[in-house]
Amino acid sequence: MAYKDADCRKTPKKKKKTTTNMASLSSDEWRAICDKFTNAQNLTDVESRNDPENDLFRSKYKARELLREIYCSLKSFEAGEGDEDGGAESSEQRAAEPPVDGQREDGFGEGFSGDSPAGLRAAKLGAVEYYLGVNHVDTEELSAGQEHLMNCMKQLGRCRVTSENVSLFIHVRNQLGILWAGRDETETAQGFLETAESIYQRYMKEDGSPPTDMTEYFTSEEKLPTHQERTKRFELAYTHTMYYLAQVYQNLGETERAATYCHTTLQRQLQLNQFSPMEWALNAATLSQYYITKGRYMEGRHCLSAATVISGLAGEAPSEAVAQESETESDRREQLRQKRAEIARCWIKYCLNVLQDSKKLLEDNIGELDTDRQEELKRARRQEEEDEEKGRKSALLFGSEDTFDSIASLEEKVCCLSPLDFTEARGVFLVGQNYVKQAKEYFQMDGYVTDHIEILQDHSALFRGLAFFEEDLERRCKMHKRRVDMLEPICNDLNAQYYLLIRRQLMFELAEIYNEMMDLKLTLANRQADTQSLDNHTIKKFNSLCSASAKYFQMFLDSLCSPEGKVPEHLEEEVLRPALVARFRVARLHSRLISPLLSAQLDNLNKSLENYKYVAEYCETHPEAAAAVETELELSKEMVGLLPLKINRLKAKMATNN
């Protein structure tokens, strides 16, 4: 329950203004209030850290009692001043009661002036209600906390926003925003926080002077903060507003707006020097992933470069030997290594997406490098570089005098424009590969199976992105072989029961890699001679790659069957396209195997027809599946019509030979 006014009226005491004026900081009564407030703050911010586990809120309960005593004293002073200041409220119009939900009123309308006796009284009572509200929220008494915070709002509802109370206007709305967001009442939280933002912006436009900090209401004159300290505390409160709004917009699905507020929050934290290096760095790295998905690589690179530099401010991770001697150092080592590995993974995603997006720009309709398009984009590169420089000048950049040069230096090591040839692509690849190494040092197979495999899959994808730009087909084939070497042992060693989904991903990728290698080998062979005169070594290599691809596609398909080996009658949406594509590829691969034996050729064609039929018949009985495999379905139907003719001709040839 919130602390009621009635509790403070048990012993009302009328005093002379000279001894009880709230503004009279020299009075003994007022000094006692200031001391109690200081003690309450110390209990909340310092002593509470040492509270035992079986009495977690001991210090905060003590602080609450002191705040209640302060509240009663203020009400007593108010009663004592009533006769002499009673006309104060009638001389200025009271503001209407504030709206309960959203709080979109900005407080710049009618009401007491913040520096009037009545305005100062309202601010001080409101401040105590605020601190009581925060205290109850901290001790997980949310309803009581809300009641106190709304009582603060009611006190402020009597006043106009001025330098004496603007900080309290913003703080209380921040707290109510957090409270309602925690209840998943996102739109209500949005209302409070957007009003806090509006109040800050209007105050800075119309006044802008360093406002009174809430602690000053109960601080003796010799301990008052400087103008610089006031400004910093006020700006920090607004930074919190921005931070909470970023989360609110994220929860509302307004991702672009959330990213903008997150970016501004991070920049303000650096300016105010109010941040934890590793937490800040991880937030900046996370923000980079939003920019990357939008193709905004300049902003993404800037966030990652800043994250790397700022994370360095946390110092080196303690050695393993030091960590073994101290639990604190062990925890610190774990935190630093983990968060830096996570930042490294964000860099990997950056490099991977740059390569993949460049491939989309440059590939022709069969997935090869379109040289005409490449030349066209190279000619347009100068304009693109100029646009990048303009964008950089208008962007909100991170950093201070100490870190800005380091961030800029790191940015120069990797491009943010689409690589247009092998040399440029290799530069991006090498940066990504370096971060793969860093990430794997922490996310090892022993303990982080899923993370380790995801990093390997990203490494494989980096090789694939680089291979697209490689003109030498032999070297391209070797890159794909590197992918096989890193994924195949993992796939074969993984426990199928516990890591079924990951194994499916690996099996499908390995099948595709072998398929690409097979096509490359055939292209190379065809450049040297026609298909009819392929040497035995080439045929053997081609068949080996073809069989390996078919094997992994079949392993993928078998993983979808029941324990008894029964093929599912209905394919779930998440495996529908992969399963039908795998069937189509198996059909194609069997038809491409080279064998001098007519019986082997017939066997391969029958297997091919069987899989083409499956695709066509499944889509016939499940019409909704057709949209997922339009191209494959069209070719499958065509082959279902053609292959029987080819099979019959082969049978006739075999009969003639016999």
Side-chain angles (χ1 to χ4, degrees):
M1 287 290 292
Y3 196 64
K4 302 296 184 183
D5 288 357
D7 296 333
C8 300
R9 294 176 186 155
K10 294 174 182 176
T11 55
K13 201 171 181 182
K14 199 161 187 174
K15 296 180 179 286
K16 293 181 181 178
K17 188 172 182 180
T18 54
T19 59
T20 62
N21 190 335
M22 286 206 289
S24 180
L25 295 174
S26 60
S27 69
D28 292 340
E29 293 92 341
W30 189 249
R31 285 191 177 276
I33 284 179
C34 292
D35 289 342
K36 285 181 181 178
F37 179 78
T38 301
N39 290 338
Q41 292 288 89
N42 185 64
L43 284 164
T44 300
D45 299 334
V46 180
E47 296 296 328
S48 63
R49 297 174 189 169
N50 302 318
D51 286 347
E53 288 188 13
N54 60 353
D55 195 4
L56 276 177
F57 302 132
R58 181 175 65 189
S59 296
K60 292 191 175 179
Y61 289 145
K62 290 179 181 178
R64 182 185 300 178
E65 290 308 312
L66 290 174
L67 290 169
R68 284 176 168 175
E69 290 174 18
I70 293 171
Y71 187 87
C72 288
S73 297
L74 293 179
K75 295 299 288 184
S76 175
F77 288 169
E78 186 179 54
E81 293 174 347
D83 291 345
E84 293 165 63
D85 286 342
E89 294 190 15
S90 61
S91 65
E92 298 185 59
Q93 185 178 349
R94 281 179 179 268
E97 285 288 309
V100 174
D101 292 329
Q103 295 303 323
R104 297 183 185 275
E105 298 296 324
D106 61 14
F108 284 87
E110 297 177 332
F112 300 130
S113 172
D115 60 356
S116 68
L120 288 170
R121 274 198 299 273
K124 289 171 181 175
L125 287 167
V128 180
E129 291 280 15
Y130 168 82
Y131 285 113
L132 280 167
V134 173
N135 180 283
H136 280 82
V137 171
D138 287 346
T139 58
E140 301 173 5
E141 300 164 75
L142 301 186
S143 294
Q146 178 188 340
E147 189 173 345
H148 278 296
L149 292 171
M150 290 308 297
N151 285 343
C152 173
M153 293 282 288
K154 289 174 184 175
Q155 290 288 348
L156 292 176
R158 304 160 63 194
C159 309
R160 296 195 299 274
V161 173
T162 64
S163 64
E164 287 79 15
N165 58 26
V166 64
S167 183
L168 183 56
F169 265 89
I170 290 173
H171 271 92
V172 69
R173 284 168 173 80
N174 282 352
Q175 286 297 326
L176 284 164
I178 298 168
L179 184 70
W180 284 105
R183 294 169 169 169
D184 292 329
E185 295 283 349
T186 309
E187 291 182 357
T188 303
Q190 178 187 6
F192 283 114
L193 294 168
E194 286 182 345
T195 305
E197 178 186 28
S198 172
I199 289 170
Y200 170 86
Q201 291 174 344
R202 184 166 172 182
Y203 175 79
M204 294 303 291
K205 182 179 179 181
E206 296 182 2
D207 189 322
S209 62
T212 301
D213 186 67
M214 296 186 303
T215 58
E216 292 184 55
Y217 299 142
F218 311 106
T219 304
S220 57
E221 196 165 353
E222 63 271 13
K223 295 180 181 178
L224 291 176
T226 64
H227 279 358
Q228 187 176 7
E229 289 170 333
R230 282 178 167 182
T231 299
K232 186 173 182 177
R233 292 177 189 178
F234 185 56
E235 293 298 335
L236 191 57
Y238 179 58
T239 301
H240 288 151
T241 307
M242 304 293 279
Y243 175 74
Y244 303 137
L245 276 172
Q247 295 178 61
V248 162
Y249 292 138
Q250 182 69 34
N251 291 335
L252 290 172
E254 299 181 35
T255 52
E256 185 172 352
R257 205 172 180 188
T260 301
Y261 275 74
C262 183
H263 197 123
T264 304
T265 299
L266 292 169
Q267 172 65 354
R268 290 177 64 85
Q269 287 174 337
L270 286 182
Q271 289 173 339
L272 296 168
N273 195 27
Q274 292 288 317
F275 62 93
S276 162
M278 290 312 302
E279 183 182 347
W280 190 98
L282 201 55
N283 285 334
T286 303
L287 177 60
S288 76
Q289 304 304 285
Y290 165 78
Y291 288 129
I292 290 168
T293 61
K294 298 297 181 182
R296 295 166 61 179
Y297 290 109
M298 186 185 75
E299 291 95 328
R301 180 185 65 175
H302 183 65
C303 287
L304 286 168
S305 299
T308 301
V309 171
I310 298 301
S311 72
L313 301 179
E316 290 296 319
S319 67
E320 196 167 352
V322 171
Q324 287 176 349
E325 296 175 4
S326 165
E327 187 176 344
T328 303
E329 289 300 297
S330 176
D331 290 344
R332 182 167 177 268
R333 172 182 165 82
E334 176 71 12
Q335 286 292 316
L336 289 177
R337 292 182 70 237
Q338 179 182 348
K339 289 180 179 177
R340 283 174 178 154
E342 288 171 355
I343 292 169
R345 293 185 71 179
C346 290
W347 269 114
I348 296 168
K349 294 296 186 185
Y350 171 87
C351 296
L352 183 54
N353 277 270
V354 167
L355 290 174
Q356 288 175 339
D357 280 2
S358 182
K359 179 176 181 289
K360 291 174 187 175
L361 277 176
L362 292 166
E363 67 183 349
D364 56 22
N365 57 359
I366 59 169
E368 290 296 318
L369 181 65
D370 185 333
T371 53
D372 292 337
R373 176 67 173 153
Q374 183 184 39
E375 289 305 314
E376 179 188 336
L377 289 172
K378 281 186 175 181
R379 288 193 295 271
R381 173 55 63 89
R382 183 181 296 276
Q383 182 61 47
E384 200 175 355
E385 288 171 344
E386 290 176 2
D387 291 342
E388 180 202 352
E389 186 59 31
K390 288 178 184 177
R392 182 173 176 78
K393 288 178 180 177
S394 63
L396 182 62
L397 300 180
F398 295 133
S400 59
E401 291 180 4
D402 298 331
T403 59
F404 190 84
D405 289 344
S406 299
I407 293 170
S409 175
L410 193 55
E411 286 179 289
E412 290 172 3
K413 293 181 179 179
V414 59
C415 71
C416 64
L417 300 178
S418 297
L420 299 179
D421 55 35
F422 181 81
T423 302
E424 292 179 358
R426 184 172 181 272
V428 177
F429 169 84
L430 290 174
V431 171
Q433 184 167 248
N434 178 54
Y435 284 111
V436 165
K437 182 181 177 182
Q438 290 184 30
K440 282 164 62 178
E441 285 177 4
Y442 179 80
F443 292 109
Q444 297 183 9
M445 193 67 177
D446 183 14
Y448 295 97
V449 176
T450 303
D451 293 292
H452 185 84
I453 292 173
E454 285 177 0
I455 293 167
L456 288 181
Q457 288 175 300
D458 285 342
H459 196 187
S460 168
L462 284 169
F463 269 109
R464 185 182 184 189
L466 180 62
F468 171 78
F469 291 91
E470 178 55 74
E471 296 178 6
D472 186 316
L473 299 189
E474 282 285 3
R475 289 179 61 187
R476 193 189 296 187
C477 209
K478 288 176 181 177
M479 290 180 189
H480 290 308
K481 181 64 168 64
R482 288 284 301 275
R483 297 172 65 198
V484 169
D485 291 343
M486 69 175 71
L487 298 180
E488 197 165 45
I490 298 288
C491 180
N492 293 331
D493 292 344
L494 271 182
N495 185 305
Q497 181 180 352
Y498 297 114
Y499 298 105
L500 177 61
L501 294 180
I502 294 175
R503 284 195 81 235
R504 282 178 181 170
Q505 292 174 9
L506 293 174
M507 289 185 289
F508 200 93
E509 183 170 354
L510 283 164
E512 289 190 313
I513 297 171
Y514 277 118
N515 193 69
E516 287 185 61
M517 292 173 70
M518 178 195 71
D519 286 339
L520 287 170
K521 286 294 183 185
L522 188 60
T523 303
L524 276 168
N526 287 339
R527 285 182 180 179
Q528 297 164 3
D530 62 63
T531 314
Q532 299 303 316
S533 59
L534 292 176
D535 61 77
N536 288 335
H537 174 74
T538 302
I539 291 172
K540 186 177 179 181
K541 186 65 178 175
F542 176 83
N543 282 343
S544 172
L545 293 170
C546 190
S547 297
S549 180
K551 180 187 81 170
Y552 279 109
F553 276 128
Q554 192 59 54
M555 285 171 64
F556 172 83
L557 291 168
D558 291 344
S559 76
L560 302 175
C561 298
S562 67
E564 296 77 30
K566 185 180 179 182
V567 177
E569 293 182 7
H570 175 77
L571 295 168
E572 298 297 329
E573 186 177 354
E574 61 270 17
V575 297
L576 174 63
R577 176 168 169 75
L580 293 178
V581 167
R583 285 279 186 176
F584 175 80
R585 295 278 182 84
V586 168
R588 178 176 173 269
L589 288 163
H590 278 298
S591 68
R592 297 188 70 181
L593 283 167
I594 301 171
S595 174
L597 299 175
L598 295 179
S599 58
Q601 292 177 30
L602 181 62
D603 185 46
N604 289 331
L605 288 176
N606 279 324
K607 287 178 180 177
S608 181
L609 179 59
E610 177 189 340
N611 282 283
Y612 280 130
K613 274 185 174 180
Y614 179 90
V615 175
E617 290 172 1
Y618 186 89
C619 291
E620 187 177 341
T621 55
H622 301 82
E624 70 282 357
V629 284
E630 288 181 357
T631 303
E632 291 83 2
L633 176 59
E634 183 181 346
L635 290 171
S636 294
K637 288 179 177 178
E638 186 178 333
M639 296 307 292
V640 167
L642 293 175
L643 276 182
L645 300 175
K646 191 172 183 179
I647 290 170
N648 288 335
R649 283 198 299 269
L650 189 58
K651 286 180 178 178
K653 186 176 181 181
M654 290 172 68
T656 303
N657 289 347
N658 288 337

